[in-house]
Amino acid sequence: MSLLVTRARLITVPAGTDDPGYLDEGHLLVEDGRIAAIGAGEPPHGMTADETLDVGGAFVAPGFVSSHSHLFASGLRGLGAGETLYGWCDAMLGTTAHMSPEQLYWSTLHGSLDFLSNGVTTAYNFTDPLQAWESMVDGRRTGTAVLRGIDYHTRQADGCLDSGIRFVDSIGMDVTAGSDDEIFDRFAASVAHTRTMDPDFALGCSIMGQVQWSPRPEAAELEVEAMRRFGVTNQAHFLESPEAIDVQQAKFALYRDAGALGLGLMFGHFIQTTPEIIAEAVAGGASMSWQPASNGRLASGVALVPEMLAMGMRVGVGLDDQACTDVADPWQNMRMGIYMQRARTKDPLSMMPERMLRLHTLGGAEILGVADQVGSLEVGKLADFVVVDPRSPDVGPLWHPVRSYVLAMSPRNLKQVYVGGVLVDEGGRSLNPLAAEASARLHELPGLVARRGHPH
C-alpha cells in the first residue's frame, strides 16, 4: 500500500544538522510502510499513490519518541500524589505487586494506545520486573521480595506489540534472585520471547539497570556481562531522587569500573550529579534520558541538560509513565522542559523550542540506537508521523511555525497519528480493535486488586 501526503507544513528534523527541516508546503510519499520521497511544494508530475491525504496546511511532523517509559502504569494515575520518588513507588508498585500477568498485559496495552493517541509512536518501555517491589530505605533494597513467573514479563511485551507502538523492550535482571546461571537463563528467556516479534515493531531489547537500588555489589558486572552476551543496551534509573544522594553517587563507580559506559549505557534522569560524574559519563560515551514532567511531579529536581549537551552528551527525552506525568502529552513535556531550564538558568537561550523538539524525536531515537528507523522524516525511515492542525483550535498567525508547533500545540490540535503510513488514531480515538476491551479491563483493576489483598 502507498500513501501520498500533500499540502503539508513539513517538520522533518533531519539528522546531522540542528535545522528543524521546515517546509512551508511539502509532500511526503509512503510505500510499504517507509518514506519513499519527501520534498517541497506539490508532488512532481507522475507521483501517485493508492491513497492521497490532503492535510490542507496542517503540520506533518515525526511521531514522538519517548526514550524512557513505563507503559504498564497507565491504570495507576493519581497514586502517591504527595510523595517523592520512593513513596510514590511504594504506592504505585505496591499496587502492581497484587496484579497478574494478564492484568499487566491489558495495562500495558492501554498505556501503549494512550501514547499513540498523543502522538508518541516509539517508546523505550521499562517492564515491571519479575521481582516484586520492596519499600525503599535510604535508597537500599534487601533483594528478598517474591519472584514472579516469566510470563509476568512476556505479557507486557505482548501488550506493546498488540498495540502497534514501536518499542524497545527493557527487562529487569533481578540479580538478587537465584544463582548467576539462573539470572542469565531467566533474562535470556525474556529476550528470546521479544526477539520472535516483528522487528519493525520490537526494535530491540535492553536491560532495566537496577544498580541504583540493588544490594548486590556485583550487579553492575552482571549487567555488563549480559550486555555483551546478549547484545543488548542498558538504561539505568540513576541519580534521580534528592534522598540519600551520597549513596546514589557512590554507585556511579560501579558502572564505570565495570566498563558499562562505553557499551551503550543510558542514564535515566541523571539529576543529582556532580561535575566529575558528568565529565566521566561523557568521556566514557554514556547518554542520558531526561523526563522533565515526571521530575517536576515527583519533586526530583532539574537535570543540567544544557550543560550536558555543551559537554557532548547525547540526550533524549522521555514521558516516563502516565502515573507520574498524569497525561501522556509530549507537548506539555516539551514546554515543561523548556520552562524548567529557563527558570533555572535565567537564560531563554538555554533551551530553545527547536532543540527541545529534536530531543523528543530524533534525540530519543539516537540514544536508543534506533535512529536509522525512527525519529525523523527522511527517505528510507519508517513512516511514523502526526498531523497537527494549528487552526483547530486556532492559535493565530504562525510567525515562527516550528516554535509555534512546540509552544502552542497540544493534543487538541492532534488530528491523526500514522505508524508505517497506516492511520492508527484519529481525533484521540484509537482504531485498534482491542482498544475498547483494554479500557474495560483497566477499569476493573481497583476491584480485582483489592480482592487480591492490596492494603490500600
Side-chain angles (χ1 to χ4, degrees):
M1 296 294 294
S2 58
L3 172 70
L4 180 59
V5 182
T6 63
R7 292 207 298 157
R9 294 181 180 271
L10 280 171
I11 304 175
T12 61
V13 196
T17 175
D18 290 332
D19 190 293
Y22 177 70
L23 297 174
D24 196 57
E25 182 175 342
H27 62 274
L28 181 148
L29 177 65
V30 179
E31 293 179 345
D32 298 323
R34 293 184 179 269
I35 298 171
I38 191 165
E42 291 293 321
H45 181 72
M47 181 179 285
T48 60
D50 297 320
E51 179 185 352
T52 298
L53 175 66
D54 181 347
V55 299
F59 288 110
V60 171
F64 289 94
V65 176
S66 176
S67 58
H68 181 115
S69 324
H70 302 254
L71 295 171
F72 69 86
S74 188
L76 303 172
R77 304 174 211 225
L79 297 175
E83 302 286 348
T84 55
L85 174 66
Y86 297 142
W88 170 81
C89 284
D90 290 344
M92 194 263 290
L93 297 176
T95 302
T96 64
H98 299 270
M99 290 171 65
S100 69
E102 281 307 297
Q103 289 166 343
L104 262 290
Y105 166 82
W106 289 108
S107 297
T108 301
L109 178 59
H110 185 278
S112 302
L113 294 177
D114 185 49
F115 264 39
L116 287 167
S117 287
N118 284 279
V120 183
T121 52
T122 298
Y124 180 98
N125 182 44
F126 290 100
T127 51
D128 195 21
L130 298 186
Q131 192 169 39
W133 176 255
E134 297 169 322
S135 293
M136 287 290 197
V137 179
D138 293 331
R140 299 181 178 88
R141 300 180 71 180
T142 61
T144 56
V146 63
L147 187 71
R148 298 172 280 217
I150 193 71
D151 59 338
Y152 193 81
H153 163 262
T154 58
R155 292 302 283 152
Q156 293 177 71
D158 294 344
C160 285
L161 183 69
D162 292 348
S163 75
I165 199 168
R166 304 197 201 277
F167 67 103
V168 174
D169 190 30
S170 183
I171 305 158
M173 290 184 64
D174 303 302
V175 298
T176 58
S179 67
D180 290 357
D181 286 343
E182 289 171 330
I183 292 165
F184 287 124
D185 288 347
R186 190 169 61 232
F187 184 75
S190 287
V191 169
H193 177 81
T194 303
R195 285 181 171 165
T196 64
M197 297 176 174
D198 184 344
D200 280 349
F201 288 91
L203 299 180
C205 295
S206 189
I207 296 168
M208 177 183 180
Q210 296 171 306
V211 168
Q212 187 75 92
W213 307 310
S214 178
R216 186 168 177 183
E218 307 88 359
E221 284 86 351
L222 288 166
E223 290 182 11
V224 167
E225 171 61 23
M227 293 170 76
R228 291 180 170 135
R229 186 182 299 189
F230 300 104
V232 297
T233 58
N234 186 346
Q235 185 172 160
H237 290 72
F238 209 78
L239 299 176
E240 179 178 359
S241 181
E243 293 105 346
I245 291 175
D246 291 345
V247 174
Q248 296 184 63
Q249 290 178 347
K251 290 197 169 188
F252 176 80
L254 299 178
Y255 273 131
R256 180 198 63 206
D257 296 346
L261 302 184
L263 291 177
L265 183 68
M266 298 165 270
F267 289 113
H269 301 290
F270 214 46
I271 301 168
Q272 319 302 333
T273 53
T274 66
E276 294 77 17
I277 285 176
I278 295 173
E280 287 192 71
V282 172
S287 61
M288 72 89 75
S289 182
W290 174 33
Q291 288 64 247
S294 71
N295 294 163
R297 161 76 142 81
L298 297 175
S300 296
V302 183
L304 306 181
V305 173
E307 292 88 338
M308 293 177 189
L309 288 166
M311 294 174 68
M313 178 166 274
R314 294 171 298 123
V315 177
V317 168
L319 270 164
D320 217 335
D321 63 65
Q322 295 97 326
C324 66
T325 57
D326 304 295
V327 290
D329 180 351
W331 286 278
Q332 173 181 273
N333 203 35
M334 290 193 292
R335 285 190 286 270
M336 284 187 175
I338 292 169
Y339 302 162
M340 284 178 177
Q341 295 300 340
R342 292 182 173 195
R344 179 183 68 83
T345 64
K346 300 180 176 60
D347 176 8
L349 298 179
S350 65
M351 190 55 64
M352 290 292 286
E354 296 91 336
R355 168 170 272 183
M356 193 73 211
L357 175 61
R358 182 168 292 271
L359 296 181
H360 215 337
T361 52
L362 188 62
E366 286 173 344
I367 73 166
L368 301 183
V370 297
D372 60 330
Q373 301 288 320
V374 298
S376 61
L377 301 182
E378 299 181 86
V379 171
K381 287 193 175 184
L382 294 162
D384 302 345
F385 59 89
V386 293
V387 179
V388 180
D389 190 346
R391 295 153 306 182
S392 178
D394 184 15
V395 302
L398 300 175
W399 300 104
H400 299 282
V402 175
R403 293 173 182 177
S404 289
Y405 179 79
V406 174
L407 297 174
M409 297 299 102
S410 75
R412 295 187 306 161
N413 301 94
L414 177 61
K415 303 309 174 187
Q416 295 162 312
V417 181
Y418 284 80
V419 175
V422 175
L423 181 65
V424 298
D425 193 276
E426 188 162 28
R429 182 179 66 86
S430 174
L431 303 184
N432 188 297
L434 295 172
E437 185 172 3
S439 178
R441 295 285 190 125
L442 202 72
H443 284 278
E444 294 174 354
L445 274 179
L448 293 172
V449 170
R451 287 197 290 274
R452 290 182 66 128
H454 184 41
H456 300 308

